[in-house]
Amino acid sequence: MENQNTPKSSFAAEQYSLFDKISNSTVLKLFVILFLSLLLLIPLTLISDLIEERKTREQNVSEGIALNWGQEQVISGPVVAIPYSEIIQKSAEKSKNSATLEYRQTKWIFILPQSSNINTDISPQHLSRGIYNTVVYNSHISIEGSFNKIDLTKLEIPIEKIDWKGSRLVFGIQDFKGLGKRPVLKWNGIESTFDPDFNNLKLFNQNLVCPISINPQSENIFKITLDLKGSKSLNFVPLGDQTNISAKGNWANPSFAGAFLPSKRTVDNANFSASWEIPSFSRKLPQQWSGDIYPIYLFEKNRGNLTDESEPPQPTARAASDSNVSSDMLVNSDMITINFLPDINNYQKTRRVAKYGILIILLTFTSLLFTEIIKKKRIHIIQYVLIGAAMVLFYTLLLALSEHIGFNTAYLIASVATLILIGSFIKAITKDLKSALLLGAILGTFYLFIYVLMQLRDYSLIAGTIGIFIILAILMRVSTKINWYQFDNNHADQ
């Protein structure tokens, strides 16, 4: 009987030995871990989609707040508009005689100011709806300037056709909801108020019009004052032959964009001030022109909250021409823009952290494999899967917490919770406190490294490259101290 059982036992031992060698092969496990890391890209991609979904939700709420409070505002003008009549002759249709009919058509003379001095005091603040908020502001704006004598010889319009009594001063803003009361106009010392114009003089997005008494042979002085609410950005269209803008406010994170940067600026922890001096050399419009009414500018608003790394929309003249608008129309890039950036953009930072997810997973798995070989403690591939799931869950936890308590605190809590979870799991697997503390310290170093990269901004590329180079050098050094064939020749401690 013993002789009969011997061949079977030896075959079973040989079969077990072959299977055991394969399952304990370090090379095979390395490939399995690499495959697992690539497989974890799927949940990381889903988390990136979740971040974009939450960001879109924030943008929708932000636009809803702006719609009720006041949207991004554009201060335009003023422009003097003077009507004149023009006779147009057309041949009579369906007539046997060659008779012509005369039509009287009203057209306009438009004159831009010789000088325009804009002073504004801005008070931005956060306005919340649920867990989301956006930046809104109150502003007090004063515009003073003058119009020179009108040169009728350049217009080539007979003076008898000009209706001086129908002269208007047109002033434009982007959103009427931002007005708490009617803007006040002082024209040559006489005070009056503006009325909205929705049908006739459509020079701007929303137009305010006031009748004026104009003397073409003398200089005319004006002053406009208004209180205006808006959100995210305040824009100015420099229409004067010389435009001077002075802005100040209690906001620590403004961004200046558009056609010109401030000639002077001061930004500290709580306030800012900036001033511009802008001549008309780069202005697309002439000082005065005549003809039909057409819009002076095309403004494309920002979507969602601005960030310190986002590019505000800059529609070009080509885009204007594609929309069947005059090519000399002013666009965002011709304006002076003050963007009020939020202090922290949680979704932007969370998205940047998530981009390093696969790197953290690979480095952690590599460190875990090295610990497994050095300590001769086997870690099953299922346990690698659970550790990978914990590291992926870190990003969801970070996203959820940052919506309520801010990014920095959320990052600290999420990283500490993940370190405790993975460290205690390693302790339970290896029964070795030192191994658990070592892996926890390594993973904590990786999280700290990524956090530091988030703060460096402009220097994150060079700092990240140097950091990865140092980590690779350490791994290469440690690998020279390891007998890579120990698991192939001997069984590890179970």
Side-chain angles (χ1 to χ4, degrees):
M1 295 294 293
E2 293 178 359
N3 294 335
Q4 291 179 354
N5 292 333
T6 300
K8 293 182 179 180
S9 299
S10 61
F11 175 76
E14 181 181 354
Q15 186 179 26
Y16 174 79
S17 177
L18 178 62
F19 176 78
D20 194 46
K21 285 183 178 181
I22 295 175
S23 62
N24 288 329
S25 171
T26 305
V27 176
L28 177 62
K29 194 164 192 176
L30 189 61
F31 279 105
V32 172
I33 291 173
L34 179 60
F35 175 75
L36 175 61
S37 300
L38 295 176
L39 201 63
L40 289 175
L41 282 173
I42 297 175
L44 286 176
T45 302
L46 295 177
I47 289 174
S48 297
D49 294 340
L50 178 61
I51 295 172
E52 290 300 322
E53 178 184 336
R54 300 299 292 180
K55 183 180 179 182
T56 301
R57 170 62 179 163
E58 182 204 35
Q59 291 175 343
N60 293 334
V61 173
S62 175
E63 290 181 355
I65 294 173
L67 190 64
N68 296 329
W69 177 271
Q71 302 186 59
E72 296 177 79
Q73 295 288 5
V74 180
I75 306 300
S76 310
V79 177
V80 168
I82 306 171
Y84 69 95
S85 59
E86 186 174 274
I87 304 300
I88 299 177
Q89 295 181 348
K90 289 186 178 180
S91 58
E93 297 181 358
K94 299 180 180 180
S95 175
K96 295 181 180 180
N97 301 324
S98 58
T100 58
L101 299 178
E102 291 186 350
Y103 298 89
R104 184 180 296 272
Q105 186 176 11
T106 300
K107 293 193 175 183
W108 295 84
I109 301 169
F110 299 105
I111 304 169
L112 300 182
Q114 181 66 23
S115 64
S116 180
N117 301 308
I118 304 173
N119 292 280
T120 177
D121 193 350
I122 313 165
S123 300
Q125 65 187 59
H126 287 288
L127 193 62
S128 300
R129 179 178 293 174
I131 63 173
Y132 304 105
N133 64 74
T134 190
V135 180
V136 300
Y137 59 83
N138 291 284
S139 65
H140 178 74
I141 300 171
S142 171
I143 307 174
E144 298 182 64
S146 63
F147 289 86
N148 269 1
K149 300 177 182 179
I150 301 174
D151 189 356
L152 297 176
T153 59
K154 293 182 178 180
L155 297 175
E156 298 181 352
I157 299 173
I159 193 170
E160 64 272 10
K161 293 184 177 181
I162 300 176
D163 180 13
W164 298 104
K165 295 182 179 180
S167 300
R168 303 284 187 271
L169 188 72
V170 187
F171 175 66
I173 64 173
Q174 187 68 14
D175 186 6
F176 278 163
K177 284 187 177 180
L179 289 174
K181 57 183 179 180
R182 293 176 183 268
V184 176
L185 169 66
K186 279 189 176 181
W187 180 262
N188 292 327
I190 300 175
E191 187 172 302
S192 56
T193 58
F194 284 94
D195 292 313
D197 188 315
F198 298 101
N199 300 315
N200 298 322
L201 293 168
K202 295 182 178 180
L203 294 178
F204 311 112
N205 186 62
Q206 293 186 334
N207 300 271
L208 295 163
V209 177
C210 183
I212 56 174
S213 175
I214 190 169
N215 185 350
Q217 301 302 319
S218 64
E219 184 181 52
N220 297 276
I221 309 298
F222 71 89
K223 181 179 180 180
I224 301 171
T225 56
L226 71 154
D227 295 319
L228 186 64
K229 298 188 297 184
S231 60
K232 293 182 282 191
S233 75
L234 179 60
N235 305 267
F236 301 93
V237 181
L239 293 181
D241 187 62
Q242 176 65 42
T243 302
N244 301 316
I245 302 174
S246 177
K248 62 179 181 178
N250 56 340
W251 196 250
N253 199 22
S255 172
F256 306 109
F260 300 91
L261 294 178
S263 55
K264 297 179 182 179
R265 73 172 81 181
T266 302
V267 180
D268 56 33
N269 294 330
N271 301 282
F272 78 91
S273 62
S275 61
W276 293 259
E277 296 178 352
I278 308 167
S280 62
F281 300 138
S282 59
R283 189 183 64 194
K284 297 178 181 178
L285 300 172
Q287 189 66 23
Q288 58 184 25
W289 72 96
S290 61
D292 295 323
I293 300 170
Y294 63 85
I296 287 180
Y297 72 82
L298 172 67
F299 179 74
E300 185 172 336
K301 65 179 182 178
N302 296 285
R303 175 163 173 76
N305 282 326
L306 289 169
T307 67
D308 55 356
E309 295 180 359
S310 62
E311 289 291 335
Q314 298 287 351
T316 60
R318 177 173 295 182
S321 64
D322 292 340
S323 306
N324 296 321
V325 194
S326 175
S327 60
D328 60 355
M329 175 178 289
L330 304 176
V331 293
N332 289 45
S333 58
D334 298 308
M335 302 178 187
I336 303 301
T337 300
I338 306 175
N339 294 313
F340 302 102
L341 304 181
D343 298 328
I344 297 176
N345 188 275
N346 296 323
Y347 299 108
Q348 178 194 18
K349 290 191 174 183
T350 304
R351 185 175 65 249
R352 290 180 61 192
V353 170
K355 289 180 179 179
Y356 294 97
I358 187 62
L359 175 63
I360 298 298
I361 290 172
L362 280 173
L363 291 176
T364 303
F365 280 173
T366 303
S367 303
L368 194 59
L369 180 62
F370 279 20
T371 303
E372 178 183 347
I373 295 172
I374 294 172
K375 297 295 183 179
K376 299 182 180 179
K377 296 290 185 180
R378 299 297 288 168
I379 300 177
H380 198 273
I381 194 65
I382 296 299
Q383 293 163 334
Y384 274 91
V385 172
L386 294 175
I387 292 172
M391 288 189 290
V392 170
L393 186 61
F394 161 80
Y395 300 101
T396 306
L397 186 61
L398 173 62
L399 174 64
L401 291 174
S402 65
E403 290 185 334
H404 298 273
I405 60 177
F407 177 83
N408 293 336
T409 307
Y411 193 93
L412 177 62
I413 294 176
S415 57
V416 170
T418 305
L419 289 176
I420 294 175
L421 177 62
I422 295 178
S424 60
F425 187 55
I426 297 297
K427 171 64 170 58
I429 295 171
T430 62
K431 304 297 189 295
D432 184 6
L433 180 60
K434 290 184 178 180
S435 298
L437 292 177
L438 177 62
L439 261 298
I442 292 174
L443 183 56
T445 302
F446 292 156
Y447 284 144
L448 179 61
F449 173 62
I450 298 302
Y451 181 80
V452 171
L453 290 184
M454 295 300 101
Q455 309 306 313
L456 293 178
R457 297 183 182 179
D458 295 340
Y459 300 98
S460 60
L461 177 59
I462 186 171
T465 304
I466 293 174
I468 296 300
F469 184 86
I470 293 174
I471 293 173
L472 179 60
I474 294 173
L475 291 176
M476 293 173 66
R477 180 64 177 173
V478 172
S479 68
T480 62
K481 305 296 183 181
I482 297 176
N483 179 12
W484 291 97
Y485 299 100
Q486 60 179 315
F487 285 142
D488 297 334
N489 299 327
N490 303 299
H491 296 309
D493 296 338
Q494 300 297 325

